[in-house]
Amino acid sequence: MDEVPIPNNNPVVIKPIKPIPTQKPKKSSHLIETLKNFIKMLPFAIIIAFEMYWLGNIFGEFMTFPPTSAITYIFVGSILLMMFAIQIMMRSIIYSVLIGFFFLTGIFSSWFGNVYEPIISNFSSFLNTISSAWARKNIPFQLIVTGGMTTIFAAVIFIQFITSLMVKSFFEMIFGKNWGDGKIMGYLGAICLILGVIISFNSYNKYAYDNKEKLIWKYFQQYTPLEKFVTRTPGNITYNNEYVWVNNGKKLVAISLVSGRIIDKIEKNSKVVCKNIRKADYPIIPVEDRFLVYEPNLSKMNCEIEYPNKDGISSDSEKIEKLIPLTIDFLNDGKYLLAFYDYGKVGL
């Protein structure tokens, strides 16, 4: 028999089954994730910064200022492309600014040695110097140089900041916010890239300028004092048959012509810009008010030659202004000293 449903007055109520609530994932703050990534990448960024300082140092030893050869401009362009590639790998505004700062510091350190001390010392009395310069309508040259170098630092930092900001924004806009921060593989790639450039650059430099078999001895000289690097090559060199005297503006060094051994040093500030290489019997240092002539081995002073007075007045009064020579030169293989003074005066 077939079953027949029998209707009744008791309705059947079916309760809907509630879905099991799922726990919503907590949205982590993008700023916190960026900060965590920044701290995690710090060791790699330190390695990159020191690599950039190293690269800047060897690049500064290779190039002149201003760049004068085509190969130097090629290397400058290659370095700029490399820094852009590093920014793409790192994608960090602060670290990108840091590597640009370290690279420029490496270049300046190879030229000047301690580059921050003269900049800080010249700007420590900035207001007094500016007020004095405004009264005399003459800005000190050292302030112009250190101000220019500070401007270069600021320009590099600004360019690195803008470029890294554009790179970071591009990755966040195209690939998402998670790609706005650099990854470990990117930092490792940057480390390997810089190291490869350093090795390649050193290999090229050694291959192109390897003169070890021909080089008898060498003496490394930097641009000192810093404010003279625009008008003077690193080190004014005077020589005779036995010695080479190198005057960098702050000290005079006597070097044996045969062995290259440093014989002695004298700490004296030279006030005159000279030709780079000249021959003479004795080393001469132009100081505030006179020429100091030393024995060839710098054992003692030979004689002193006072600068002439500005108005040609023969007097020992301190009020008489001395004429400081603008430059000096040697004639007849150093038998005569020719001095060029301001106000169109020349002395022999």
Side-chain angles (χ1 to χ4, degrees):
M1 294 179 63
D2 296 335
E3 294 183 359
V4 179
I6 301 175
N8 56 36
N9 295 326
N10 297 325
V12 178
V13 178
I14 302 175
K15 295 182 179 180
I17 301 174
K18 295 182 179 181
I20 301 175
T22 57
Q23 189 175 3
K24 295 182 179 180
K26 296 182 180 179
K27 293 183 178 180
S28 59
S29 173
H30 179 63
L31 180 62
I32 296 177
E33 292 298 324
T34 300
L35 182 61
K36 290 180 180 179
N37 188 76
F38 178 84
I39 297 174
K40 184 170 66 174
M41 299 301 171
L42 180 60
F44 303 101
I46 292 176
I47 296 175
I48 294 174
F50 278 102
E51 279 186 334
M52 291 300 293
Y53 176 83
W54 184 14
L55 180 62
N57 200 274
I58 62 176
F59 188 65
E61 292 180 5
F62 171 81
M63 69 178 292
T64 59
F65 185 86
T68 55
S69 62
I71 191 66
T72 303
Y73 285 102
I74 293 174
F75 276 120
V76 170
S78 303
I79 294 297
L80 293 178
L81 289 176
M82 183 202 69
M83 295 185 72
F84 183 70
I86 292 173
Q87 287 194 351
I88 294 177
M89 296 177 182
M90 295 177 63
R91 301 192 292 278
S92 172
I93 296 176
I94 297 178
Y95 289 152
S96 297
V97 169
L98 188 67
I99 64 171
F101 178 82
F102 268 73
F103 178 70
L104 190 60
T105 301
I107 294 178
F108 283 163
S109 297
S110 67
W111 289 349
F112 312 115
N114 184 5
V115 68
Y116 298 112
E117 183 178 347
I119 291 179
I120 294 173
S121 63
N122 283 322
F123 277 101
S124 60
S125 57
F126 181 77
L127 294 178
N128 294 333
T129 306
I130 287 295
S131 60
S132 175
W134 181 261
R136 295 181 300 171
K137 299 295 186 288
N138 182 24
I139 300 178
F141 186 70
Q142 62 267 27
L143 188 62
I144 296 176
V145 174
T146 52
M149 295 180 63
T150 306
T151 303
I152 294 174
F153 270 113
V156 169
I157 290 174
F158 177 75
I159 293 172
Q160 286 288 100
F161 174 81
I162 294 298
T163 307
S164 59
L165 182 63
M166 294 174 61
V167 169
K168 189 177 179 70
S169 301
F170 173 81
F171 272 86
E172 290 184 356
M173 182 175 60
I174 301 298
F175 303 103
K177 288 187 176 181
N178 292 333
W179 285 90
D181 299 325
K183 309 300 180 183
I184 292 180
M185 293 304 297
Y187 278 73
L188 290 176
I191 292 174
C192 296
L193 174 62
I194 302 172
L195 189 61
V197 171
I198 291 174
I199 295 174
S200 301
F201 189 85
N202 278 334
S203 300
Y204 167 80
N205 200 17
K206 183 178 179 181
Y207 172 78
Y209 300 99
D210 192 3
N211 294 314
K212 290 183 179 180
E213 296 180 356
K214 303 176 183 178
L215 190 65
I216 299 175
W217 57 267
K218 62 181 179 179
Y219 178 79
F220 181 70
Q221 186 69 16
Q222 294 175 319
Y223 289 102
T224 52
L226 180 145
E227 60 268 15
K228 297 292 186 180
F229 83 100
V230 175
T231 57
R232 178 162 51 195
T233 53
N236 300 310
I237 300 174
T238 311
Y239 70 97
N240 65 5
N241 296 329
E242 298 182 54
Y243 298 95
V244 175
W245 304 291
V246 181
N247 188 350
N248 69 351
K250 290 185 177 181
K251 63 183 178 181
L252 177 68
V253 180
I255 304 173
S256 171
L257 184 63
V258 177
S259 63
R261 185 173 59 90
I262 296 177
I263 306 301
D264 204 350
K265 300 178 183 179
I266 294 179
E267 301 287 338
K268 290 289 183 182
N269 289 328
S270 177
K271 299 295 181 181
V272 178
V273 177
C274 308
K275 291 177 62 178
N276 190 30
I277 299 177
R278 56 201 182 275
K279 186 175 182 180
D281 292 332
Y282 300 96
I284 297 177
I285 304 179
V287 293
E288 281 293 341
D289 58 348
R290 64 194 67 204
F291 293 108
L292 303 180
V293 184
Y294 287 88
E295 289 295 324
N297 59 1
L298 304 184
S299 59
K300 64 178 181 178
M301 189 181 301
N302 190 309
C303 65
E304 300 180 33
I305 306 173
E306 290 192 3
Y307 299 155
N309 297 326
K310 177 181 177 181
D311 299 322
I313 302 173
S314 178
S315 173
D316 295 333
S317 173
E318 295 181 356
K319 296 181 181 180
I320 302 299
E321 185 178 353
K322 295 284 188 179
L323 278 175
I324 299 178
L326 301 176
T327 186
I328 60 175
D329 201 355
F330 290 92
L331 305 179
N332 196 15
D333 288 338
K335 300 298 181 183
Y336 297 98
L337 174 65
L338 182 65
F340 295 87
Y341 301 92
D342 204 351
Y343 305 100
K345 297 186 179 181
V346 180
L348 184 63

